[in-house]
Structures are given as C-alpha cells and as structure tokens.
Amino acid sequence: GAVVSQHPSRVICKSGTSVKIECRSLDFQATTMFWYRQFPKQSLMLMATSNEGSKATYEQGVEKDKFLINHASLTLSTLTVTSAHPEDSSFYICSAIGGLAETQYFGPGTRLLVL
Amino acid sequence: KQEVTQIPAALSVPEGENLVLNCSFTDSAIYNLQWFRQDPGKGLTSLLLIQSSQREQTSGRLNASLDKSSGRSTLYIAASQPGDSATYLCAVRVQTGANNLFFGTGTRLTVIP
C-alpha cells in the first residue's frame, strides 16, 4: 500500500534554531501534500496545503514566514520551522493524497521539542 | 464551516465486546469520510474510507457506516482485542482533491484484557 515517510522522527533543538522536516511519498506521486500539527490529546490541525511547484496555502493563524514549506517534487515536501520557540514544540504530521480513491495517507509524524 | 464531533471522547471495554464509535458532522455535503487509528505518539493509519455514495465499508472486524443525510457515521468493532486500544479519528472531506479534510477530536479506546 501507499506509504508516506517523515524524517526525522524526533528532534530536540535549542530555542532560536531552525528545524527542517522532510515528508516523502514512497510509492506514489502526490500532487498535494498537507502539514498538520497536533498538540497533546488534541486532534490534528491543518497548517498548510502544499502543491508541487507552487506556493503553499496556509491556514488562518499559521505564520508563513515561520513555517516555510517547499514542495519541490511530486514525492517530497519539506517544512522548516524557523527560529523555533518552546511553544512550537508539537507533533508534526504530513500527509499526501494519492491513488484513484483519493485516500489521504499520513506519515508517522515528527516530534519536535524546543528547549 | 464543517464541524466534526466524536462521542464518546473515551471508552473502556472488556476484551471480546463489540463496540460502536460515533462521528457526526454538521454539513452533509461531503465527498468522503475516513476513519483512522492513531497509536500514542504515532501517525495515523487509515482504516476505512467511505465515498459519499456508499452506505458502508467493511474490513475484517471493522465496519463503518455512513448516513450522509443525517450527518452521521459509525465505526463498529467486533470482538474487541487489547491490540485495538488506540485513538480513533474520523475525518470528512468536503470536496475532491482539496485540503478540506476536517477531523474529529477522536475517541480514545481502551480494551481491557
């Protein structure tokens, strides 16, 4: 079945540094990828939608200059958290739509801890 | 705006019991509905996807139903096992190929051996 991978799975960084998270669709082409954030015991909140070759569409309240998204190919999207702060600590999950049924497949998530 | 609600928020059952998880959504104009499973600290695993034209989907011990007109879906789990313990999320897509996937807050299921 379709697989979406994320790297790294966990990252700890100091406040003020930038962190890049990669999301790859391993056996299908994804014209659209999504980035979600999930705080403890809460559901997923969509941050942005990433279309290959074009600028990402951000949800209301998500700072596009802080969360840089690049969708360079049909199988890779990256999320860079710039100048990370402790309040950015969260579980970040990417997702991609693929296949005839337009099922949305999710990556395993990246846990970010900003000290 | 589409709102998705899941009841109950948490559920504990003894092993072997059959159970039903509920999902309701406010706007019946959906494209499809998907049920996911999330283990603690992990990503989402897709369980079942129901297109708006379908009434139900089955996979093993899982059966999901959809009543689009009333804005409801149920996930039925037969003969529950401790390995079924996880958070179950339902999500509705409101139009094809778009980013309009709205998640419920989930039901945390614990199956007691």
Side-chain angles (χ1 to χ4, degrees), chain A residues 32 34 36 38 43-44 46 49 59 91 93 97 101-104 106-108 111, chain B residues 31 34 36 38 41-44 49 51 89 93 96-99 101 103-105:
Chain A
T32 303
F34 310 95
Y36 293 84
Q38 185 180 35
S43 191
L44 279 70
L46 180 66
T49 302
E59 295 299 300
F91 194 51
I93 303 177
I97 288 183
E102 296 191 1
T103 302
Q104 192 157 339
F106 287 78
R111 184 160 303 283
Chain B
Y31 183 68
Q34 202 163 352
F36 296 90
Q38 185 177 30
K42 304 292 185 181
L44 275 66
L49 181 146
Q51 301 292 351
L89 298 164
R93 182 179 305 284
T96 177
N99 60 340
L101 188 66
F103 280 88
T105 51

Side-chain angles (χ1 to χ4, degrees), chain B residues 8-86:
Chain B
L11 178 66
S12 291
V13 300
E15 181 178 2
E17 268 201 11
N18 304 323
L19 60 102
V20 175
L21 306 181
N22 298 291
C23 173
S24 61
F25 44 95
T26 55
D27 188 346
S28 62
I30 67 170
Y31 183 68
N32 61 38
L33 182 146
Q34 202 163 352
W35 281 93
F36 296 90
R37 168 187 174 136
Q38 185 177 30
D39 293 288
K42 304 292 185 181
L44 275 66
T45 300
S46 178
L47 298 174
L48 291 164
L49 181 146
I50 310 178
Q51 301 292 351
S52 61
S53 59
Q54 298 175 324
R55 301 281 296 186
E56 66 177 343
Q57 282 286 330
T58 298
S59 176
R61 294 183 292 109
L62 305 180
N63 176 276
S65 69
L66 174 63
D67 184 343
K68 198 173 67 168
S69 61
S70 67
R72 294 180 180 180
S73 176
T74 62
L75 178 66
Y76 175 83
I77 302 177
S80 59
Q81 302 171 359
D84 296 330
S85 298

Side-chain angles (χ1 to χ4, degrees), chain A residues 3 12 19 21-22 25-26 37 39-40 48 52 57 60 63 70 72 76 90 94 97 100 103 105 111:
Chain A
V3 176
I12 301 173
V19 175
I21 303 171
E22 291 188 350
S25 58
L26 297 184
R37 181 166 52 185
F39 292 106
E52 186 264 339
T57 301
Q60 192 173 9
E63 300 176 57
N70 181 275
L76 173 65
S90 187
C94 75
I97 288 183
L100 295 175
T103 302
Y105 300 98
R111 184 160 303 283

Side-chain angles (χ1 to χ4, degrees), chain A residues 10-97:
Chain A
R10 177 177 294 189
V11 58
I12 301 173
C13 69
K14 293 182 178 180
S15 183
T17 60
S18 294
V19 175
K20 179 185 285 188
I21 303 171
E22 291 188 350
C23 175
R24 294 180 184 272
S25 58
L26 297 184
D27 52 3
F28 66 99
Q29 293 184 333
T31 54
T32 303
M33 288 185 171
F34 310 95
W35 287 95
Y36 293 84
R37 181 166 52 185
Q38 185 180 35
F39 292 106
K41 296 187 178 181
Q42 295 186 23
S43 191
L44 279 70
M45 296 300 295
L46 180 66
M47 299 175 66
T49 302
S50 166
N51 291 297
E52 186 264 339
S54 63
K55 291 183 178 180
T57 301
Y58 290 81
E59 295 299 300
Q60 192 173 9
V62 179
E63 300 176 57
K64 63 179 181 180
D65 294 331
K66 181 171 183 62
F67 299 99
L68 302 178
I69 292 173
N70 181 275
H71 193 158
S73 74
L74 287 172
T75 60
L76 173 65
S77 176
T78 60
L79 167 68
T80 301
V81 183
T82 62
S83 186
H85 289 94
E87 58 264 31
D88 298 323
S89 299
S90 187
F91 194 51
Y92 292 85
I93 303 177
C94 75
S95 176
I97 288 183

